[in-house]
Structure formats: C-alpha cells, structure tokens
Amino acid sequence: MTRTDWTRDEIAALFDLPFTELVFRAAEVHRAHHDAGAVQRSTLLSIKTGGCPEDCGYCSQSVSADSGVKATKLMDVRAVLQAAAQAKDAGSTRFCMGAAWRNPKERDMPAVIAMVEGVRAMGLETCMTLGMLEPQQAKRLADAGLDYYNHNIDTSPERYGDVITTRSFQERLDTLDAVRSAGINVCSGGIVGMGETREDRVSFVHALATLPEHPGSVPINALVPVKGTVLGDMLADTPMARIDDIEFVRTIAVARITMPESMVRLSAGRESMSEATQALCFLAGANSIFTGDKLLTAANAGDDKDDALFAKLGLRAMAAECRLSEAAE
Ligand code: SAM
Ligand code: DTB
Ligand code: SF4
C-alpha cells in the first residue's frame, strides 16, 4: 500500500544515505511502479503573464519584482488552441496553461473553460495553474474536463513565510483539497535552490508525501534565478547558495521513494543543468519534463535538445494516460 505516514526522520535518513545507495533504491522503486524507459512530456503556455499581486520571492511575474516582464491580458482562446496544436505536433501529451493570478475572477471563467474544452478535444491532457481556487471553481473546471491542476506548496511550511507573505501555506493546502474533492488530479511540488537548508528539503518532501493522497504529478523545480526578484538577486550575490547538482538528484530520489506512484517531474532549471545531471535525475526516478523553448517566462532546454538527449539516453516519450479515450469520443 502507498504510504502517506512518512516521518521526517525517515525522510531525513533517506537523504543521508550514501548517494549511490539512494539512487539505486530510487531506481528500484521507479522500475517497480513505472516503465523506466519512458518520460512524459508536458508543454507550458503562459495564458496571462505578469502583473501578479502575490509577492513570491522567486517569481518574475510578481508586481513586487523588477524583472522587466510585461503584464499582458488573458490570451484569446483561439491563440491558445493554436499553441496547443503545435505542442501536440512536437510530441507533447499534456498542455499546461498558467496564469499570473492570485485566483481566477468570475469574468475569466468562461474563457478558461473554453480553453480546457478545446485542448481536450485535440486529444491532449489538460493542466491549468491559475492560483487559488474556490471549491465551486474547481468543480466547474472538473466539469469542463480538466485533467490536472498545478498548485505548488513551493517549499517547507517552516520556510514558506520567508518566500511568500501574501498567502499562507494553509491556503495552498485548501486549494489542493478543493481540487482533489472536485476529482481533478493534483499536480503539486515546489522549488529547491532557494537558499534553503537540507532540513527544509526534508520538510518539503514530508509535506508532499503526507498529503491525504500523493499528488499525481510532483514537479521539482530548481530555482531559475531571475534578476529583479528577491531570490534571483540574492543568488546573484551569493552564488554558493545555488543548489548542488548531487543534492538536487537526492531530492528527486527521495521524492521517488516516498511517492512511488507519482510522476516526478524534472521541471524548471533544466536549461542550466548538464546532460549528465539530467541523466542522473532520470535514473533516480524522474519520469516527466517540460518540453519546448520556454517555460512560462524563462527559457527551457528546447525540443531539439530534448530529442537529442532522449536519443542519447535511449529514452522514449510516454503516451498520454489520462481520460483521453473519453476526449476522443
Ligand atoms: N500563479 C499561479 C501559482 O502561483 O500557483 C500559477 C503560476 S506559478 C508561476 C507556478 C509555479 O512555478 C510556482 O508555484 C513555482 O513553484 C514555479 N516557479 C515560478 N517561478 C519560478 C522560478 N523562477 N524558478 C523555479 N520555479 C518557479
Ligand atoms: C511548475 O512547478 N513549474 C512550472 C509549472 N509548474 C507551471 C513553472 C515554472 C516556471 C519557471 C519560471 C518562469 O518561466 O517564469
Ligand atoms: Fe503570482 Fe504565481 Fe508568480 Fe506567485 S508564482 S507571483 S502567484 S504568478
């Protein structure tokens, strides 16, 4: 049975294992629950960029940041569907639409629902990340056929207030509850490399692995340091704070062992990661990535590089898994 009663001590002990032992155990768990030769590919699109009222210290899209990201209006539904068609042609199976909102307003819901319906009708899995949701909004998105909702806990409960002050850790958990109760698959993870301690990383994985149900997808982002954000500037001043590659791989491995059935996504930060580090992440149980040249506002590795990496490593793109037979009907 999948455990949701992990203790902090057990998780700390996993992090403390000799590296090769930890990766070996994670690879065993990966093989027992997944096809280890296949990696799921999601594509991101920022459907509403910048001007966000939240003050997340890592984010280029916050009004508190001086990052040069221009605020835009919500994209037109047709333009979103065009981008989804391109992502499908490039081999992606999931299309994730992100908006720089604290929460969606009522006036945005019809367009957002039309995007979900249109993308699903193309045979792609749908994912959205729109900020906090009320139970009623989650229900409407579920009725439109939304497969996944991304809402990250971002960091440990203890460190949360140092990174974000405009909303609480509990509010994140409340939205995850609303999403789960509406029957939408939860995608939730966070960011490492924000100058946190090992203890914070233990507590971050602990918070995810002890949710009432493990998230279907767990994105592990390495901070993309953006100039003009609190954390991007801090990292520029203290380069030593940047997460060590081996510690990043350890975090992936511990996530894999504690949440064996989840898709663990090697998310933001891949662009500045060596092929060897990415290969170690796949060995340690990462089985999902974001493809395409762009994340939301930051650069990503790009399809050509990913195709070359997959060929070099002998990895295959995973087929879509989620309710698509219904979408095709
Ligand atoms: N506004 C919504 C929210 O915060 O839930 C959705 C979009 S937000 C950009 C999605 C996630 O991207 C954040 O929760 C954070 O984990 C991640 N993220 C944002 N900026 C990042 C950065 N510079 N480096 C790494 N991850 C980042
Ligand atoms: C997630 O955990 N990572 C993605 C997705 N969920 C929405 C976003 C990464 C954003 C990276 C910074 C940027 O592009 O601005
Ligand atoms: Fe807004 Fe999301 Fe960026 Fe926070 S992470 S500032 S909520 S877009």
Side-chain angles (χ1 to χ4, degrees), residues 58-59 61 99-101 129-131 150-152 154 167 172 191 221-224 226 268 296:
Y58 46 78
C59 187
Q61 304 196 70
W101 285 327
T129 177
L130 314 172
N150 167 248
H151 200 67
N152 290 341
D154 283 324
R167 55 160 197 257
R172 290 310 255 187
I191 311 177
N221 298 276
L223 177 72
V224 178
V226 181
L296 291 170

Side-chain angles (χ1 to χ4, degrees), residues 45-193:
L45 176 70
S46 181
I47 57 171
K48 195 269 166 222
T49 306
C52 183
E54 305 272 21
D55 70 351
C56 313
Y58 46 78
C59 187
S60 64
Q61 304 196 70
S62 164
V63 282
S64 330
D66 186 13
S67 62
V69 168
K70 274 223 227 88
T72 66
K73 288 206 186 110
L74 180 62
M75 275 173 78
D76 189 66
V77 178
R78 256 187 317 176
V80 171
L81 299 188
Q82 260 171 18
Q86 273 172 18
K88 191 179 177 192
D89 285 348
S92 195
T93 55
R94 188 178 305 171
F95 195 62
C96 181
M97 296 160 266
W101 285 327
R102 177 174 163 82
N103 53 269
K105 308 272 177 314
E106 181 47 42
R107 63 168 186 268
D108 303 314
M109 291 302 284
V112 160
I113 284 170
M115 289 172 195
V116 173
E117 289 171 346
V119 173
R120 275 199 98 218
M122 286 177 191
L124 280 167
E125 293 175 331
T126 51
C127 175
M128 285 201 148
T129 177
L130 314 172
M132 293 188 256
L133 290 185
E134 293 298 330
Q136 197 45 34
Q137 292 177 312
K139 175 81 178 45
R140 284 162 73 192
L141 291 170
D143 291 345
L146 184 66
D147 296 304
Y148 281 84
Y149 195 78
N150 167 248
H151 200 67
N152 290 341
I153 62 165
D154 283 324
T155 188
S156 66
E158 297 78 18
R159 188 155 153 77
Y160 194 84
D162 296 337
V163 178
I164 303 149
T165 68
T166 49
R167 55 160 197 257
S168 65
F169 194 81
Q170 185 57 45
E171 283 176 303
R172 290 310 255 187
L173 297 182
D174 292 346
T175 291
L176 292 179
D177 276 344
V179 169
R180 196 179 310 111
S181 305
I184 301 171
N185 292 298
V186 167
C187 168
S188 189
I191 311 177
V192 293

